[in-house]
Amino acid sequence: MQTTATSAHRAIKEDVEDLAHQVKSRFFSDATQRRSMLVSQLPLTGSLLTVAVMLAFVRPAALRDTGLQLSLMLALVITVLCVLLPWNLLPAKTYLSVPLLDFVVVGLAREATASSFSSLGLLLVFPVIWLAAREGKMGVVLSFSASLLTAAVPLFAGASATPSDIARPFLLPLIMTVIALAVHILVSSLGSQDAKLKRQDEELRKAYEESLARQRLLDTMLDVVGVGVHAVDAAGNDILVNRQHRRNRALSHPSGKEQDLNLLASDGSTPLPPEHGPVARAARGQSFSDYIVRLGSPTNNRVLSSTARAMTDKDGNFAGSVLAFSDVTELVNALAIKDDFVANISHEFRSPLMSIIGYLDLVLDTPEDRAGQHREFLRVAQSNAEKLLNLVSDLLSASSDSMGVHPQKMDLLDLIRISVVSASPRAGSRGVEIINEAAQPLWLTADPFRVGQVLDNLLSNAIKYSGPGGTVTIRAWDTGREITLSVTDTGIGISQEDLPKIFTRYFRSNAVRESAIPGVGLGLGIVKRIVENHGGSITASSRIDVGSTFTVILPKGTDHDAAETDALTTI
Ligand code: ADP
């Protein structure tokens, strides 16, 4: 029972709150309109009150005039109504009653004070302005009619009719109509200016939104491209730096500011004076193309090709520059490798060719009866020709995509022994000892010719990169499903930085390139491909000046596997 009462009470409370909310929103939401009504009405009410105060001093008796009292009362009531009435709920033109009533207010006040303030009729200017400003031509007509009535009614009501009284009905409406017209013209010209301003404002807003959209498109494009873009003003200050160029700058210096960038000349080691930096040049108004600089330290840097174009303002004065930076590190490295390769390969061909030519000359110059000497010279020439043939085979293997593998059952120990025998003369001439620790037969299914190439390359490198007194040790053992082979030397070693690159075609470490050790950077690439074509793997470990170990793992395979591998690899 009590619960029902409580819920009924709550429902009533909610209804009352809802009603209060509706009343509030309906009656008080037109605050702007009330304010504008009050502001329009106040000048007249205020002026009348001022007149009343002045009369209190000048002619207190006039205050007892019923007409004046009525006028003041009416003005005050109208002012209060301006604030209280819910104008937005009333018919649209209801507000016109206020300025029209103001004519009555002024008419009454003017009649009552005619002897003290003859020009009080001019107060009509307030409702006239109101009507003309708000109602346009209709307001002008209303102003004229209302002021005519205001001036004429007292005359017809039997007031004294002096000549000036007779002129009044025409003079005052005339003045008021002129004022109404002036206000109307002013307001409509202000209105058309306002409309024009609004149109311009709308156009500006649209243009601004379009430029923002274009700006976003441009920003995205600049961030997507792989080229660094940098724009500077005439003083060299940054206007724009895209994502790629921020990366370029971060490479060189954590602050990423151009003046702090570590710039090197294109040779990669000479520090570039700041005034020769691309941005500094561009800020001086220079335009250039493909200006190569390096960013970073001499050991870790990127090669950038920079291009700059100067911008001018509308008067043709220099206004800044736009620079584009392309990272050409890989290209420059590839070109360096190519140059290096050409130099090495020429050298590798030249030495055996010179030797062949030299020994053939000797054969020709030696008397025919010295057959023993002929044979000896021809053998040297033949061995050099074989070297050349091997070199050409290596080049062909490296450049061809497929490398045929023809597996068969074979003993790795046999191949190791053959390779050791053929490498021994070279090892002996360099003072390097070869130790073969492989002793047991190691059977597997593989291509003996290709595995022989692997052994020859690893042994020849181990000897080539070891100094006199060094040793090269070969081990090989059976690990069940695989055979593992290792070649260890006590030579110059490979830096940790170079280690991952040594199986790349044409790669030669800096240390090796600077020394006189011959080579073209093809051997290990070929070895890796042969091993992988057998389903095996090769790894290298090394320490500078201690030595290197190359470890090859080859699956033993079966006859069946062998047949499959053969079919696959010779396709
Ligand atoms: P090449 O020996 O003709 O230069 P390779 O492909 O056989 O080409 O070797 C590539 C590079 O690996 C060599 O230039 C050298 O820098 C390094 N390298 C290979 N084997 C050894 C080794 N045993 N000791 C030191 N460095 C080696």
Side-chain angles (χ1 to χ4, degrees):
M1 188 71 173
Q2 198 179 348
T3 329
T4 325
T6 320
S7 59
H9 178 253
R10 196 180 304 130
I12 291 169
K13 197 176 160 211
E14 278 170 8
D15 282 351
V16 169
E17 277 173 5
D18 192 35
L19 194 66
H21 178 72
Q22 278 189 27
V23 169
K24 199 174 156 196
S25 61
R26 284 183 147 232
F27 285 84
F28 295 98
S29 62
D30 62 339
T32 323
Q33 203 171 346
R34 283 160 206 258
R35 203 178 308 123
S36 106
M37 293 292 288
L38 183 65
V39 167
S40 307
Q41 179 59 27
L42 272 180
L44 176 62
T45 312
S47 305
L48 273 179
L49 286 175
T50 315
V51 168
V53 171
M54 285 164 76
L55 278 176
F57 291 106
V58 183
R59 261 182 60 199
L63 288 177
R64 283 194 290 278
D65 185 284
T66 328
L68 184 61
Q69 285 172 1
L70 255 175
S71 164
L72 283 168
M73 290 270 288
L74 190 55
L76 287 172
V77 169
I78 293 172
T79 312
V80 172
L81 286 179
C82 281
V83 180
L84 289 185
L85 284 182
W87 296 103
N88 62 334
L89 298 181
L90 299 173
K93 298 289 177 187
T94 315
Y95 89 94
L96 281 178
S97 56
V98 175
L100 290 176
L101 278 172
D102 282 346
F103 280 93
V104 179
V105 169
V106 176
L108 287 170
R110 196 180 68 140
E111 281 314 308
T113 59
S115 55
S116 319
F117 298 104
S118 54
S119 56
L120 212 63
L122 287 179
L123 287 181
L124 283 179
V125 79
F126 294 121
V128 163
I129 290 175
W130 190 341
L131 284 172
R134 290 231 192 164
E135 292 299 318
K137 284 178 193 139
M138 163 81 171
V140 176
V141 174
L142 278 176
S143 298
F144 172 73
S145 321
S147 43
L148 190 66
L149 277 175
T150 313
V153 165
L155 198 69
F156 294 116
S160 55
T162 61
S164 72
D165 288 339
I166 293 164
R168 239 181 359 178
F170 305 102
L171 200 61
L172 194 63
L174 201 71
I175 295 170
M176 290 306 139
T177 309
V178 171
I179 291 174
L181 269 173
V183 170
H184 168 61
I185 291 166
L186 191 73
V187 167
S188 30
S189 93
L190 279 177
S192 64
Q193 269 184 23
D194 189 44
K196 199 172 155 193
L197 275 177
K198 274 191 185 138
R199 247 194 339 271
Q200 284 179 348
D201 190 49
E202 181 62 16
E203 278 165 16
L204 267 176
R205 199 180 52 76
K206 264 196 200 145
Y208 177 65
E209 272 167 16
E210 272 171 24
S211 94
L212 276 184
R214 221 169 288 148
Q215 178 72 42
R216 277 195 294 273
L217 178 74
L218 196 68
D219 285 350
T220 316
M221 277 164 61
L222 283 175
D223 278 348
V224 161
V225 291
V227 175
V229 180
H230 186 185
V232 287
D233 63 17
N237 299 315
D238 289 358
I239 302 175
L240 179 149
V241 180
N242 78 339
R243 188 178 297 165
Q244 179 58 43
H245 196 53
R246 282 198 294 277
R247 275 192 215 129
N248 290 341
R249 303 212 293 194
L251 238 180
S252 170
H253 196 279
S255 90
K257 291 224 171 78
E258 173 67 19
Q259 49 270 44
D260 301 331
L261 292 185
N262 201 354
L263 287 166
L264 303 169
S266 53
D267 66 4
S269 54
T270 318
L272 201 67
E275 66 274 17
H276 290 177
V279 177
R281 286 184 59 188
R284 292 200 298 273
Q286 294 181 11
S287 290
F288 47 86
S289 299
D290 301 326
Y291 178 51
I292 302 284
V293 289
R294 287 181 184 248
L295 279 189
S297 64
T299 49
N300 179 22
N301 56 56
R302 304 292 297 173
V303 189
L304 299 181
S305 164
S306 58
T307 297
R309 289 290 174 273
M311 300 183 285
T312 50
D313 60 17
K314 60 181 174 18
D315 302 323
N317 299 321
F318 173 61
S321 287
V322 177
L323 294 106
F325 293 87
S326 314
D327 190 330
V328 290
T329 313
E330 310 308 333
L331 184 68
V332 168
N333 285 349
L335 286 176
I337 288 174
K338 192 203 82 183
D339 290 348
D340 217 39
F341 173 74
V342 171
N344 285 335
I345 205 84
S346 315
H347 175 79
E348 293 292 299
F349 272 97
R350 207 178 138 84
S351 312
L353 274 173
M354 295 291 283
S355 167
I356 292 169
I357 293 167
Y359 279 99
L360 289 180
D361 279 347
L362 277 175
V363 172
L364 292 175
D365 292 347
T366 310
E368 283 177 14
D369 54 340
R370 296 204 194 153
Q373 267 189 328
H374 279 177
R375 200 166 293 116
E376 202 179 310
F377 295 151
L378 287 173
R379 209 172 292 124
V380 178
Q382 186 189 31
S383 124
N384 279 303
E386 275 165 6
K387 258 193 207 164
L388 282 177
L389 184 65
N390 285 340
L391 195 60
V392 172
S393 306
D394 275 0
L395 282 170
L396 284 175
S397 303
S399 59
S400 83
D401 283 337
S402 71
M403 183 179 284
V405 170
H406 306 282
Q408 63 189 61
K409 216 162 169 52
M410 54 159 256
D411 181 4
L412 183 65
L413 185 63
D414 277 350
L415 282 186
I416 293 173
R417 283 187 179 142
I418 295 169
S419 283
V420 169
V421 168
S422 57
S424 290
R426 237 172 313 134
S429 67
R430 286 188 63 84
V432 175
E433 184 191 359
I434 301 180
I435 303 167
N436 180 11
E437 290 187 357
Q440 304 292 325
L442 296 159
W443 288 98
L444 77 160
T445 305
D447 183 330
F449 171 70
R450 297 293 181 198
V451 176
Q453 265 184 299
V454 170
L455 279 165
D456 288 346
N457 266 303
L458 293 180
L459 266 179
S460 121
N461 277 353
I463 296 164
K464 194 162 69 171
Y465 298 114
S466 295
T471 53
V472 173
T473 311
I474 304 165
R475 298 185 185 92
W477 61 99
D478 191 331
T479 53
R481 291 178 65 82
E482 289 150 345
I483 302 283
T484 304
L485 163 86
S486 75
V487 179
T488 303
D489 63 59
T490 53
I492 58 171
I494 305 162
S495 72
Q496 293 307 303
E497 195 197 332
D498 286 342
L499 213 47
K501 305 177 198 161
I502 55 172
F503 296 105
T504 311
R505 236 194 288 184
Y506 309 127
F507 174 81
R508 306 201 76 212
S509 70
N510 279 340
V512 164
R513 269 193 274 148
E514 278 155 22
S515 70
I517 305 173
V520 285
L522 285 177
L524 287 182
I526 293 170
V527 165
K528 188 167 191 284
R529 284 179 63 197
I530 292 175
V531 171
E532 285 175 353
N533 279 355
H534 279 85
S537 63
I538 178 164
T539 51
S541 62
S542 186
R543 279 178 64 192
I544 288 280
D545 293 335
V546 175
S548 315
T549 296
F550 288 82
T551 306
V552 174
I553 297 176
L554 289 172
K556 282 207 253 175
T558 60
D559 286 345
H560 172 71
D561 285 348
E564 262 188 9
T565 318
D566 197 11
L568 280 174
T569 50
T570 51
I571 279 170

